[in-house]
């Protein structure tokens, strides 16, 4: 996780400067009127961030790496379904490589060729047994065409929110058509209460990225919701401070707000029924939802 030398990094706006704690002290609350929430364990929709270019790969890793508890939940599900596993929007292998290490054959699908190369390199470094269980497939989820059959398909890390609503039914039908009998599709997304979005269409969060190399790394994330289009834009302002210098970078990602009832109808239309639903409260207006869907008999 580093920024190549010579890269010009934009400056974090003063109004969004991170609220920094003392190195060994407790976190300070933001100053009155600052509009910045400090959260140690909940992140505002970072999951489907995709590196814009090679220079921003380190930020992608910094955002997702420490917050990968969902791997355990998805592995537990895979143990009940068996493989092969289809990892949609795999990125650099945050799920695919651990699955292969646990003996599951995995097809990793992503539109980013450099991410898939990093995934393959990671698997090879672990060893031929793991590398042999991973197959990569470069494709855009909006135009996905599959050839294989799978016991488990994953749209993890809120990847479903990266798919335009008009394209989502086609994606779900394509995946459902390639699930084996008794197979499952698991997906998660961030659910927002509509009154909360109306009352607060702009939100700003600050959090520290866990590091153990002597560098303090903070991220300020600004969410802007657009209700007419049911979309959101998240801009991440990141500052990394070492002994000699501070580096700053800005990264933006666009996502779609999921209507749970519409998603349920699309799953049903695709031949899938929701077998399980798990909710995790993020704040008073937001929760993370995990759905496990089975193919209709």
């Amino acid at each position: 996780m580093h920024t190549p030398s010579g890269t010009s990094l934009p400056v974090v706006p003063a109004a969004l400067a991170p609220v920094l704690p003392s190195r060994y002290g407790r976190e300070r609350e933001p100053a009155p009127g600052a509009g910045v929430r400090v959260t140690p364990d909940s992140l505002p929709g970072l999951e489907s961030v995709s590196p814009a270019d090679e220079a921003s790969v380190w930020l992608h890793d910094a955002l997702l790496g420490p917050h990968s508890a969902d791997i355990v939940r998805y592995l537990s599900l895979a143990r009940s379904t068996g493989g092969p596993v289809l990892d949609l929007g795999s990125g650099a292998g945050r799920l695919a490589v651990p699955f292969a290490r646990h003996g599951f054959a995995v097809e990793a699908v992503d539109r980013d060729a450099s991410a898939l190369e990093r995934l393959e390199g990671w698997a090879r470094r672990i060893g031929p047994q793991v590398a042999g269980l991973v197959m990569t497939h470069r494709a855009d989820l909006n135009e996905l065409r599959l050839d294989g059959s799978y016991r488990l398909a994953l749209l993890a890390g809120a990847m479903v929110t990266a798919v335009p609503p008009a394209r989502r039914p086609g994606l779900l039908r394509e995946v459902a058509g390639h699930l084996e009998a008794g197979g499952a599709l698991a997906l998660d997304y961030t659910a927002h209460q509509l009154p909360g979005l109306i009352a607060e269409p702009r939100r700003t969060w600050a959090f520290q990225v866990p590091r153990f190399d002597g560098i303090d790394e903070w991220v300020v994330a600004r969410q802007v919701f657009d209700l007419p289009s049911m979309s959101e834009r998240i801009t991440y302002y990141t500052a990394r401070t070492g002994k000699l210098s501070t580096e700053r970078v800005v990264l933006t990602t666009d996502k779609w707000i999921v209507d749970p009832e519409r998603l349920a109808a699309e799953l049903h239309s695709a031949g899938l029924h929701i077998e399980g639903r798990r909710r995790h409260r993020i704040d008073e207006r937001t929760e993370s939802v995990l759905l496990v869907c089975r193919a209709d008999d």
Side-chain angles (χ1 to χ4, degrees), residues 28-154:
R28 297 201 308 268
E29 292 295 325
V36 178
R37 303 173 181 179
V38 177
T39 174
D41 58 0
S42 301
L43 303 184
L46 304 177
E47 304 88 347
S48 65
V49 176
S50 179
D53 51 43
E54 194 65 27
S56 63
V57 165
W58 69 270
L59 177 59
H60 180 256
D61 289 343
L63 294 174
L64 286 179
H67 305 282
S68 299
D70 59 335
I71 294 175
V72 176
R73 292 194 294 271
Y74 286 120
L75 271 173
S76 178
L77 179 60
R79 292 191 179 101
S80 68
T81 63
V85 176
L86 175 66
D87 183 9
L88 296 167
S90 64
R94 187 177 66 94
L95 288 173
V97 174
F99 269 57
R101 292 190 72 169
H102 283 262
F104 294 98
V106 182
E107 180 174 343
V109 179
D110 202 278
R111 67 181 181 183
D112 187 338
S114 63
L116 294 177
E117 290 174 2
R118 292 167 60 217
L119 186 160
E120 294 169 346
W122 182 13
R124 286 195 300 269
R125 288 193 298 273
I126 295 172
Q129 186 172 4
V130 170
L133 289 172
V134 176
M135 179 175 67
T136 59
H137 176 187
R138 185 184 180 189
D140 190 318
L141 297 187
N142 295 325
E143 303 171 352
L144 184 65
R145 294 294 181 269
L146 297 168
D147 294 323
S149 59
Y150 314 93
R151 293 289 301 170
L152 175 63
L154 303 176

Side-chain angles (χ1 to χ4, degrees), residues 34-297:
V36 178
R37 303 173 181 179
V38 177
T39 174
D41 58 0
S42 301
L43 303 184
L46 304 177
E47 304 88 347
S48 65
V49 176
S50 179
D53 51 43
E54 194 65 27
S56 63
V57 165
W58 69 270
L59 177 59
H60 180 256
D61 289 343
L63 294 174
L64 286 179
H67 305 282
S68 299
D70 59 335
I71 294 175
V72 176
R73 292 194 294 271
Y74 286 120
L75 271 173
S76 178
L77 179 60
R79 292 191 179 101
S80 68
T81 63
V85 176
L86 175 66
D87 183 9
L88 296 167
S90 64
R94 187 177 66 94
L95 288 173
V97 174
F99 269 57
R101 292 190 72 169
H102 283 262
F104 294 98
V106 182
E107 180 174 343
V109 179
D110 202 278
R111 67 181 181 183
D112 187 338
S114 63
L116 294 177
E117 290 174 2
R118 292 167 60 217
L119 186 160
E120 294 169 346
W122 182 13
R124 286 195 300 269
R125 288 193 298 273
I126 295 172
Q129 186 172 4
V130 170
L133 289 172
V134 176
M135 179 175 67
T136 59
H137 176 187
R138 185 184 180 189
D140 190 318
L141 297 187
N142 295 325
E143 303 171 352
L144 184 65
R145 294 294 181 269
L146 297 168
D147 294 323
S149 59
Y150 314 93
R151 293 289 301 170
L152 175 63
L154 303 176
L155 272 166
M159 279 305 304
V160 70
T161 66
V163 180
R167 295 280 190 170
R168 198 166 59 210
L171 171 63
L172 295 176
R173 287 194 300 269
E174 180 69 14
V175 172
H178 289 265
L179 287 177
E180 297 179 1
L185 165 66
L187 61 91
D188 59 74
Y189 63 92
T190 303
H192 303 279
Q193 294 182 9
L194 186 59
L197 294 183
I198 295 173
E200 191 181 8
R202 295 173 179 265
R203 305 177 184 181
T204 303
W205 303 70
F207 56 91
Q208 188 173 23
V209 177
R211 296 186 66 118
F212 308 94
D213 55 1
I215 293 176
D216 286 330
E217 183 162 0
W218 277 80
V219 176
V220 174
R222 168 182 275 181
Q223 288 177 286
V224 179
F225 297 95
D226 182 75
L227 292 181
S229 66
M230 289 293 285
S231 64
E232 65 176 300
R233 169 162 288 189
I234 310 178
T235 303
Y236 306 95
Y237 303 90
T238 297
R240 305 169 69 231
T241 303
K243 293 182 178 180
L244 301 178
S245 64
T246 296
E247 295 179 324
R248 302 176 188 272
V249 71
V250 177
L251 181 64
T252 298
T253 186
D254 294 305
K255 301 170 64 177
W256 301 93
I257 301 170
V258 171
D259 178 340
E261 293 185 2
R262 178 175 176 177
L263 176 61
E266 291 168 352
L267 289 165
H268 178 73
S269 179
L272 298 164
H273 64 272
I274 299 174
E275 181 181 78
R277 181 184 283 104
R278 175 175 177 173
R279 293 184 171 93
H280 171 71
R281 178 64 59 184
I282 296 176
D283 60 27
E284 67 277 7
R285 298 173 176 175
T286 315
E287 64 182 7
S288 176
V289 180
L290 170 65
L291 299 180
V292 178
C293 311
R294 296 281 181 177
D296 294 335
D297 295 331

